[in-house]
Every structure is written in C-alpha cells, then in structure tokens.
Amino acid sequence: MKSYFEVPLIVRGEVIEDFSQSFGGRIDGSQFKSADAGEYLSTIVMDKPSDMADLYSISFDDIVDYLERLGQRLSLGDNVYLQEAFELSKLTSGLSESILKYAYEMIPSFFLRENTTRVAANTVGVDVLEGWVPLREGVKVRAFGARAVHIIAGNVPIVGVATIVRNALTRSDAIIKSPSNDPLTTAAIARTMIDMEPDHPITKHLTVAYWKGGDEEFEEQLYHPKNIEKIIAWGGFSSIKHISGYLQPGIDLITLDPKQSGTIIGPEAFIDDACMGVVAEKAALDVGTFNQEGCVNARVIYLLCGTNEEGLGVAKRFGQLLFNAIQALPNTLSTPHRNFDPALKEELDALKFVDDEYTVIGGKGSEGAVIISHESEQVDFARSLACRVANIVPIDSVDTAIKSVNSYTQTIGIYPNSLKEELRDLLAYQGGQRMVSLGGATNLPPDAPQDGIETMRRMCKWVVDDSNLQ
C-alpha cells in the first residue's frame, strides 16, 4: 500500500499523471506527490486571449445545464475521485472525518440550476454576462471573462467548488492552485468534468495544479500580463504580500484575505433562563460549525449584560450554556478538534493563573473552551482563537463592541434582529462587512458580496461599446 497520495495535474481537459515531486501536507506526516508545474508552464498558461472565443459559442443556459449535469456526477457515494479526495483530506485537513463527509455531501447542491442561476443573476447579472446591455442611448456594456489564477484556501472543501462555479458562470479561464491541506478536491471535480465532456469549452478552460507557494522561478513566469489578467487570492498577510510583488499594469489582484468575525448580544437574551439557553444554542452554531475553521466563525462575543457583579454572573451563566451547546452540536458540524493548536492550549492554561481576571470553562483537552473576561476587554490573543474557543466580553455600552470592529471584521452575528437593524450602519462605518442574525454566521450566501467586495463582478472585464458622438 502506498504511503502517499497522488495528485494529478489537470490541464485544459487533460489528466497528467506525473508524480515526480513530493510535497508535505500541513498536518505532520501527510504527504502527496504531484508534477513539477514548472515543466508544464507552456500548456498551463493561455497566452493567446482570443482562444477564449469558444466560451462565447455557448449560451448562459448551456453553462447552467453543463453545471447541473456535472453536479449529478458529484455524489460522494458514486464518485471515485471525490472518494480519494475525501480520504486524503482526512489526513491533511483540520476538519474531522464527520464534518468533512458532511461538506463533501453538500457539493452537488452548488451545481443545481436554480442555485447557479441565482448566483449569476444576483452577483453580476445574466443580461450583461450574455450580451451587450444599454446603459443609455449610444452606450452599451458587457461583462467578459478573464484569464485568472485562483489561489484558494483549503480550510473547507467548498472553496474550490465555488471557484469552479464562478469561473464557468463568468466564462473565464482559470488556473487553480490547490492548497496543501486540500490538494485533491478541486482536481476531483476537474477529472469528473473531463469524464463527462472533455472537449466542452468550460472543461478546456480549467487547469488545476499544485506548486509550493513562493516558487519564484515558476511564479515569475506565470504572473505576467501575457498569461493572466486577474489573481484571486485567499491568503494571509505574508501570502498576499508575496503575491503583490508580482503585480504590474495589466494584472488585477482580488484578495479574499482572512477575516475575524464576532457577536453582539443584547440584554433581551437574558430575560430568563429559557431565553438565554435558546440564544446560547444560536451562538454555539456561529462558534462551532466547521470547528471554527472559517472566517465567518465567531470568536469574541460581546454581551450587553453589564460589568458589575450581577452582569458578570450573567456572563458566566451564559458562558456555561454556550460551552454546553457547543459540545452538543451534531458531529456533522462540529467535534473536538483533531489538531488542537498547542500555542492556544498554552494560552488557555496560562489563564488559570489569573482567575481574578478570567473564568475558563472547558479547555482541558481538545473539546474547546469559553473564556469569560471579567472586564470589558477581549483576551490579548483574540486573533488566535480557534478550535472551538470563544471569548465572552461583558459590556455596559454597545459602543465598546462597535469600536472593536475594523477592516479585518467580516461577519457579526447579532441578537435580537432589532439590534442588528439599529447597529448595521454604525458597524459598516467601522469596517464590518456582513451583519447577520445570530446563528446564521456560517450560512454565507453564495449570491451576495463577500469580504466587502463583489467578487464575481471583479472577476469580469467590463467592456464598453460607445456610439455616443456628442
């Protein structure tokens, strides 16, 4: 039995089974083999932009039909490529097996006709994707696809799925760099596309490759305006800074960098124990779903319960209810973390020596924890909260929570809805990008803006036909 997995290079309808290079996953001991992408650069890139014309020989209906047929072939129980990706992800992912299985079983739904049509209509507009649309007399506009490199995240398998759908709907040409913590999922979908229709324009305009980030010899040749027009990058500060070094006129960088998300809970949650329990269950979903691996997951929870002795007592009771609710989440959504961050565990252990400042519930093993601050300040390692660890911060005024929001803040779960409507403009001024009813943080709508930008509109090239002679 092989001690490693093989990750094929998928280039424009062709499967290249060259496994000459060894790569390590992000989990100790995981390993896979794939090709040296640099040796195939001339076939990976499409340096002749007019070769995208075939994408315009098909209609929008043809595209959504293709995606729906593809989705029907992506059942985990029937698709051997996805089964292999699932097995590898169990070694390389930060998610436990039960959560991964649930995520893989969700994949076909992304390709349903009603879903892909809604995504296109609400994020770009089917009319401008399909043809020239008048802005006013004498001026028309159309959204064209672009040649793009997608550097995707691997925290959940859905990122690669969404990228393939977005690429097809915008009639773009994609070179997708698979992440080391999920090197096979996107390739599995690409192989399914080849089995289904190897010569279809959508199949021919998809490449899935792995190369080690920072391979300057390869990247300096890849990231050139003769080869690409867009870079869509999911990555941290160092990754984005590295990529930005390749930018020059003719290349547009679209960043979907890591964000922080949190929660604001109003005094209505504490009217009685029953209400507090319901609210804690909602908050647990925002913290614990997908083991807090996503940017959308809550980490710091502000409670408008006051900071006096009574208020701190409320915060501690809510903290226990929250901890219990996280532990009770179904294993398809959340489990004790299989690779609990040792640095975070050290931080939790250190709080035991300052029990006059913090109360820690849980944190004994990999089950997660709830930290209750005794004052209106979050822990100094708040940006490192993960593995189902949340920090409850009692506050006297909502202004404290508002001031904590900045341009790194993505999703803010709020209870009750009336408070959300009251705060949404103020939070937006501060930099907040998505305000959601408590419990819905991880239900990120695919047909809405993400990280404060309209990603699919940015993926397009917006071309103007101007007949205005005045």
Side-chain angles (χ1 to χ4, degrees), residues 71-378:
Q72 292 166 356
R73 292 169 173 254
L74 295 175
S75 167
L76 180 60
D78 301 324
N79 189 301
V80 294
Y81 305 132
L82 282 177
Q83 290 167 7
E84 186 179 14
F86 176 58
E87 291 301 316
L88 178 55
S89 290
K90 288 193 293 185
L91 300 177
T92 60
S93 174
L95 299 176
S96 57
E97 180 176 346
S98 57
I99 303 172
L100 277 170
K101 185 177 181 182
Y102 176 71
Y104 276 95
E105 289 174 343
M106 289 172 58
I107 289 176
S109 66
F110 285 81
F111 296 87
L112 292 173
R113 184 183 186 91
E114 57 267 32
N115 290 342
T116 56
T117 300
R118 183 170 62 248
V119 168
N122 293 346
T123 60
V124 184
V126 174
D127 52 352
V128 290
L129 288 169
E130 189 73 333
W132 294 94
V133 176
L135 290 181
R136 55 181 172 82
E137 186 177 357
V139 180
K140 297 179 180 178
V141 67
R142 183 170 185 179
F144 282 83
R147 297 169 297 156
V149 173
H150 297 257
I151 303 165
I152 64 173
N155 53 341
V156 290
I158 303 307
V159 178
V161 175
T163 299
I164 288 176
V165 171
R166 288 171 173 178
N167 184 66
L169 293 175
T170 56
R171 290 188 176 91
S172 295
D173 182 272
I175 301 168
I176 300 176
K177 180 188 182 299
S178 292
S180 61
N181 55 343
D182 184 15
L184 261 185
T185 300
T186 310
I189 298 172
R191 295 190 75 171
T192 306
M193 295 163 70
I194 293 170
D195 285 355
M196 184 178 78
E197 290 191 55
D199 296 321
H200 193 283
I202 294 175
T203 307
K204 301 291 282 187
H205 285 278
L206 177 65
T207 293
V208 183
Y210 180 81
W211 66 89
K212 189 171 179 61
D215 183 344
E216 294 185 4
E217 182 178 353
F218 175 71
E219 292 178 341
E220 283 179 357
Q221 298 178 73
L222 176 65
Y223 298 139
H224 192 282
K226 70 177 182 180
N227 297 326
I228 64 167
E229 297 151 313
K230 308 269 187 177
I231 302 174
I232 297 90
W234 305 60
F237 178 80
S238 59
S239 175
I240 298 300
K241 186 175 181 180
H242 170 75
I243 295 166
S244 66
Y246 296 112
L247 295 183
Q248 56 183 296
I251 298 180
D252 178 26
L253 174 62
I254 303 167
T255 61
L256 297 164
D257 47 319
K259 303 289 184 180
Q260 292 283 297
S261 296
T263 305
I264 303 173
I265 297 177
E268 295 87 347
F270 316 119
I271 56 175
D272 56 44
D273 289 344
C275 182
M276 196 182 301
V278 170
V279 174
E281 289 175 356
K282 293 178 183 292
L285 286 169
D286 290 355
V287 172
T289 298
F290 290 117
N291 275 9
Q292 211 177 18
E293 288 283 306
C295 294
V296 296
N297 287 110
R299 286 164 170 80
V300 177
I301 300 173
Y302 288 95
L303 299 188
L304 274 160
C305 59
T307 57
N308 56 19
E309 185 175 349
E310 181 181 355
L312 185 56
V314 169
K316 290 179 179 179
R317 290 201 305 277
F318 185 84
Q320 185 65 61
L321 290 169
L322 174 60
F323 178 79
N324 294 345
I326 292 172
Q327 304 308 305
L329 289 171
N331 67 3
T332 53
L333 297 181
S334 189
T335 66
H337 204 284
R338 61 192 298 261
N339 294 292
F340 200 95
D341 182 356
L344 178 58
K345 183 65 168 62
E346 289 181 6
E347 295 282 10
L348 288 174
D349 290 343
L351 294 183
K352 297 175 183 177
F353 298 100
V354 284
D355 56 4
D356 58 329
E357 298 179 31
Y358 302 98
T359 297
V360 179
I361 301 171
K364 297 178 180 179
S366 60
E367 74 276 18
V370 174
I371 306 163
I372 298 98
S373 297
H374 293 183
E375 297 183 358
S376 296
E377 293 183 0
Q378 62 187 31

